[in-house]
Amino acid sequence: MLVCEIKGNRVKIRHLKYEDVVAMKNWGKHDDPLFKDYNFPNLSEEEMLSWYNYRTSRKDSKCFSVFNEENRMIGYINLRNIRKIMRTARLGIVFDPAVLNQGYGTDALRTAIDYFFNVLNLNTIFLDVAKFNKRAIRCYEKCGFKKIREYQARHSSLKEEKYDSDSYVWYDEFFTIKNDIVYCKYYEMKIQKK
């Protein structure tokens, strides 16, 4: 268990607390429909508590909050599917849209990876990223992650009619439609302790 904070160059990271989930409710929103699923949902207090309890009670998962220099909660990191014998886990990371492109993600990820490898004694960390999320892919590659495969999975919220105009010419690069179901293209990436 992480008792104290771990510090990066500009961020500090600690275990997620319920008050951090409340702070996430006040994050900005992505305007681009592609990133709509990354917006923190509009939850009631009871739903937020349920969300928090579910994520923090699992034995194969650890949740962390990321804070900036002003001590504002700006990010959430989830390490799940932790396999102690295999020394592997799967990473998820989400940041407040208001702080994107400011270097916080890279700093937080490098800091967290160091902790995951050297304190939690993991050997390999995997993650999945939507192929259209080029900003995240650049961040992951800067931190040492490598693409290991591309795959498709059903997308929960996109509908074909939203993307039939000329403004979405990239559509076929990132999505396919089969039997009126939208599938998103993803990369699986991994980093190994060296």
Side-chain angles (χ1 to χ4, degrees):
M1 178 70 126
L2 180 65
V3 177
C4 59
E5 300 169 340
I6 53 175
K7 294 188 178 182
N9 293 324
R10 299 174 58 207
V11 300
K12 60 184 176 182
I13 301 171
R14 66 160 164 75
H15 275 279
L16 181 76
K17 296 181 180 178
Y18 176 70
E19 67 227 37
D20 303 334
V21 180
V22 174
M24 290 166 72
K25 191 172 181 178
N26 297 316
W27 282 2
K29 301 286 185 199
H30 292 282
D31 294 327
D32 186 332
L34 283 176
F35 291 89
K36 168 173 107 167
D37 281 349
Y38 296 93
N39 290 334
F40 191 76
N42 189 18
L43 304 175
S44 68
E45 190 170 327
E46 183 180 322
E47 290 169 325
M48 282 190 297
L49 186 57
S50 178
W51 188 95
Y52 170 77
N53 287 334
Y54 173 75
R55 279 161 179 76
T56 58
S57 64
R58 298 180 52 149
K59 293 186 188 313
D60 69 342
S61 178
K62 294 184 183 297
C63 303
F64 304 91
S65 300
V66 180
F67 294 84
N68 67 3
E69 304 94 334
E70 289 81 41
N71 205 35
R72 183 172 161 260
M73 198 272 198
I74 60 166
Y76 164 73
I77 299 173
N78 176 247
L79 196 63
R80 62 189 185 282
N81 298 1
I82 299 170
R83 304 289 179 250
K84 292 180 181 179
I85 294 172
M86 299 297 293
R87 296 174 51 208
T88 65
R90 190 160 293 275
L91 178 81
I93 183 168
V94 179
F95 272 78
D96 179 348
V99 302
L100 297 179
N101 294 321
Q102 298 179 31
Y104 289 119
T106 302
D107 187 23
L109 196 52
R110 285 180 175 151
T111 303
I113 289 169
D114 181 68
Y115 174 78
F116 298 155
F117 284 153
N118 296 310
V119 176
L120 297 183
N121 200 29
L122 293 176
N123 188 49
T124 307
I125 301 169
F126 298 92
L127 63 80
D128 300 283
V129 59
K131 189 174 178 180
F132 65 76
N133 196 344
K134 294 185 182 291
R135 176 180 41 241
I137 293 167
R138 279 193 307 273
C139 174
Y140 300 146
E141 289 176 336
K142 275 197 284 188
C143 293
F145 281 88
K146 306 283 186 213
K147 295 173 190 164
I148 57 173
R149 72 180 178 111
E150 183 177 326
Y151 67 95
Q152 295 185 54
R154 187 176 183 157
H155 197 285
S156 60
S157 66
L158 294 177
K159 303 273 189 252
E160 180 179 6
E161 55 270 20
K162 290 183 185 174
Y163 298 94
D164 60 1
S165 73
D166 291 338
S167 62
Y168 294 102
V169 294
W170 44 259
Y171 186 81
D172 289 338
E173 181 183 352
F174 303 125
F175 301 96
T176 57
I177 300 171
K178 297 176 188 167
N179 301 324
D180 295 325
I181 298 171
V182 178
Y183 293 86
C184 183
K185 297 176 184 178
Y186 292 89
Y187 292 121
E188 182 178 25
M189 303 180 77
K190 78 174 180 178
I191 186 171
Q192 291 185 290
K193 186 175 182 178
K194 301 279 185 199

